[in-house]
């Protein structure tokens, strides 16, 4: 399988190189040159497979000959064995034809585990073969950091440095990162905000000379193709669990960076019968505004009760724009360069096509809390604020009540106790048993000034072979 850039001006790469690359050299994102397509008969024959067997069938065409089939199978088996539920992604029913797929049974309690626990293994496998080393550098406002740290904990050829804004992430989220101890794991609390952290990461990717040419940076945010790839699988899993592929499903996906929902769009293109895809955003609603009015425009960042969706621009949206523009990288490049200067629109017929593919909704904090409360009162089922946004958007947007609507449950409610309290419920969500001692565990973290050269020299001094 070859991968090409959405801006049309970077070399095509194979799976291994795409795994180790962040952005393409032309500033674009990598996408598969062509998608595998599965027939209904083939998908039907996957009924009854375990999650990791299904994952192999869906992902193998993307990995191709980069990893021998048996090794890839073993890697998947190990990855999903660590999830604290036999079904890996269990489906919970809220009402007739209304479901939540729980994607938070992994080690760090958010859906990001599905991709990042695999990504660590993929990286180490490829680096071992190539006798190479990478430094992962990432900024996090919460869930990505902990999932990436957990995913790379056992990697021999990876050092990971995660920057978070000092005293500005929740205690649960901080402890999920800082209590993972290992000599390749480095938490850096920056005396600044999330944007400062992100800027330092971006600048470091742009000029890696501080590493002295002895190693290179790798990315773990959702611009990394492998993350999208792993997220396609659970759409197939939901379908097979609910009568597919002989019946189609609808999905509602809480999203900010358009990663998770883009995976659903790909599942549909790969042959899975999906009749509706709902983009569910919080007040940071650039995607909803685009879908409603064909205007792609950056607004000021809003801090909401669903912080993992607090974004100003939606990085993976570029991958959809590429398809909407007939895979013409030059058009995408021009559009996104103009988008840096101010609001942009796309040709009407392209936008109408996007509207056929997706519905959308934006849900504010009050409606988020109302939904958490309503669902708890009706079902005694506690939603986290991100999932609540998905459920609300699903209810607002659904087209056909006879089609099962599945909301992706993106995080465990215990990760976001503030939103639960805000919704007026007097219960305190409990951490699962395997994390019950989180507040007693030893933490390790370095607090650094908001200064690029301080952060870079810390990294240069602390990676394993430095
Ligand atoms: C990351 C995250 C999201 C948004 O994911 P996208 O990649 O933007 O689609 C939603 N909910 C939770 C809990 C998350 O951690």
């Amino acid at each position: 399988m070859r991968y090409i850039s959405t801006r049309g001006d970077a070399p095509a790469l194979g799976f291994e190189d795409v795994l180790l690359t962040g952005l393409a050299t032309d500033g674009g994102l990598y996408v598969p040159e062509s998608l595998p397509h599965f027939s209904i008969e083939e998908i039907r024959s996957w009924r009854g497979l375990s999650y990791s067997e299904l994952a192999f069938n869906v992902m193998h065409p993307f990995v191709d000959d980069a990893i021998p089939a048996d090794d890839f199978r073993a890697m998947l088996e190990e990855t999903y064995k660590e999830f604290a539920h036999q079904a890996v992604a269990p489906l919970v029913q809220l009402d007739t034809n209304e479901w939540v797929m729980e994607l938070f049974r992994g080690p760090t309690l958010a859906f990001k585990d599905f991709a990042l626990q695999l990504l660590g293994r993929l990286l180490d496998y490829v680096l071992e073969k190539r006798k190479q080393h990478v430094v992962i550098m990432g900024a996090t406002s919460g869930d990505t950091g902990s999932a990436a740290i957990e995913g790379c904990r056992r990697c021999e050829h990876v050092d990971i440095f995660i920057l978070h804004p000092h005293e500005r992430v929740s205690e649960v989220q901080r402890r999920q990162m800082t209590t993972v101890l290992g000599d390749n794991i480095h938490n850096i609390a920056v005396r600044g905000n999330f944007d400062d952290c992100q800027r330092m990461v971006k600048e470091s990717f742009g000029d890696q000379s501080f590493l002295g040419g002895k190693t290179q940076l790798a990315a773990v945010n959702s611009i990394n193709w492998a993350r999208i790839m792993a997220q396609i699988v659970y759409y197939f899993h939901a379908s097979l669990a609910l009568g597919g592929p002989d019946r189609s499903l609808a999905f509602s996906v809480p999203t900010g960076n358009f990663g998770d929902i883009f995976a659903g769009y790909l599942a549909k293109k790969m042959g899975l019968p999906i009749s509706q895809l709902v983009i569910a955003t919080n007040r940071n609603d650039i995607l909803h505004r685009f879908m409603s009015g064909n205007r792609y425009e950056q607004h000021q960042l809003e801090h909401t009760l669903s912080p993992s969706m607090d974004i100003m621009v939606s990085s993976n949206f570029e991958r959809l724009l590429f398809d909407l523009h007939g895979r013409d990288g030059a058009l995408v490049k021009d559009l996104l360069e103009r988008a840096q200067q101010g609001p942009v629109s796309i040709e009407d017929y392209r936008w109408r096509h996007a509207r056929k593919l997706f519905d959308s909704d934006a849900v504010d904090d009050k409606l988020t809390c109302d939904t958490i409360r309503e669902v708890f009162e009706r079902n005694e089922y506690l939603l986290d604020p991100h999932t609540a946004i998905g459920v609300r958007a699903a209810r607002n947007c659904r087209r056909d009540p006879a089609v099962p609507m599945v909301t992706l449950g993106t995080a465990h409610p215990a990760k976001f106790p503030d939103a639960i309290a805000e919704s007026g419920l007097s219960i305190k969500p409990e951490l699962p048993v395997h994390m019950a001692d989180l507040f007693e565990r030893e933490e390790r973290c370095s607090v650094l000034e908001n200064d690029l050269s301080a952060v870079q020299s810390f990294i240069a001094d602390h990676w394993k072979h430095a």
Side-chain angles (χ1 to χ4, degrees), residues 124-137:
D124 222 34
Y125 184 94
V126 167
L127 293 166
E128 166 73 29
K129 189 166 82 177
R130 297 181 161 205
K131 301 287 170 241
Q132 247 175 287
H133 176 275
V134 295
V135 166
I136 286 175
M137 186 178 178

Side-chain angles (χ1 to χ4, degrees), residues 269-443:
K269 286 183 57 128
M270 288 160 67
L272 189 70
I274 295 179
S275 61
Q276 192 184 4
L277 285 166
V278 178
I279 298 168
T281 75
N282 64 21
R283 289 276 305 287
N284 297 289
D285 57 352
I286 184 167
L287 292 169
H288 176 57
R289 283 183 281 115
F290 173 79
M291 293 306 299
S292 334
N294 190 8
R295 228 173 119 83
Y296 193 69
E297 179 182 24
Q298 209 167 312
H299 279 181
Q300 200 62 31
L301 186 76
E302 305 245 7
H303 291 280
T304 72
L305 290 172
S306 43
S308 302
M309 286 152 58
D310 288 349
I311 49 93
M312 290 197 294
V313 290
S314 192
S315 49
N316 274 293
F317 194 55
E318 177 162 350
R319 289 184 159 120
L320 179 72
L321 287 172
F322 186 56
D323 280 4
L324 291 176
H325 287 82
R327 309 203 113 203
D328 183 333
L331 289 178
V332 174
K333 181 167 190 280
D334 171 63
L335 178 73
L336 290 168
E337 281 172 2
R338 281 187 289 118
Q340 298 269 317
Q341 316 305 321
V344 290
S345 304
I346 63 175
E347 285 100 319
D348 192 61
Y349 74 98
R350 299 192 201 276
W351 176 69
R352 282 182 195 288
H353 182 58
R355 300 250 308 184
K356 282 214 188 82
L357 296 168
F358 299 98
D359 293 295
S360 71
D361 196 14
V363 178
D364 66 15
D365 278 352
K366 178 177 180 304
L367 277 174
T368 305
C369 288
D370 290 350
T371 309
I372 293 174
R373 202 177 46 249
E374 278 166 32
V375 169
F376 188 78
E377 282 169 358
R378 186 73 189 75
N379 296 68
E380 283 195 31
Y381 184 73
L382 197 53
L383 298 170
D384 100 288
H386 306 81
T387 310
I389 286 172
V391 167
R392 173 61 66 154
R395 290 177 177 178
N396 288 350
C397 295
R398 89 184 298 173
R399 287 190 202 157
D400 182 352
V403 172
M405 169 66 86
V406 180
T407 294
L408 303 197
T410 52
H412 191 288
K415 272 195 129 164
F416 301 98
D418 294 353
I420 311 297
E422 192 102 359
S423 65
L425 296 173
S426 55
I427 46 164
K428 201 174 173 297
E430 301 243 343
L431 285 166
V433 175
H434 74 273
M435 295 189 74
D437 65 342
L438 185 68
F439 286 86
E440 280 95 62
R441 292 183 197 166
E442 180 192 344
E443 288 190 80

Side-chain angles (χ1 to χ4, degrees), residues 245-264:
D246 297 297
R247 159 197 219 200
S248 68
L249 294 193
F251 288 92
S252 173
V253 186
T255 193
N257 264 322
F258 206 73
D260 224 358
I261 183 110
F262 186 69

Side-chain angles (χ1 to χ4, degrees), residues 10 18 45 48 68 88 104 143 151 265 286 307 329 346 367 384 395 427 450:
V18 157
S45 76
V88 181
F104 48 77
D143 301 330
Y265 159 82
I286 184 167
I346 63 175
L367 277 174
D384 100 288
R395 290 177 177 178
I427 46 164
N450 184 3

Side-chain angles (χ1 to χ4, degrees), residues 221-234:
N221 52 12
S222 59
I223 62 173
N224 192 313
W225 162 256
R227 281 192 56 183
I228 306 289
M229 171 184 84
Q231 290 169 211
I232 298 171
V233 177
Y234 43 67

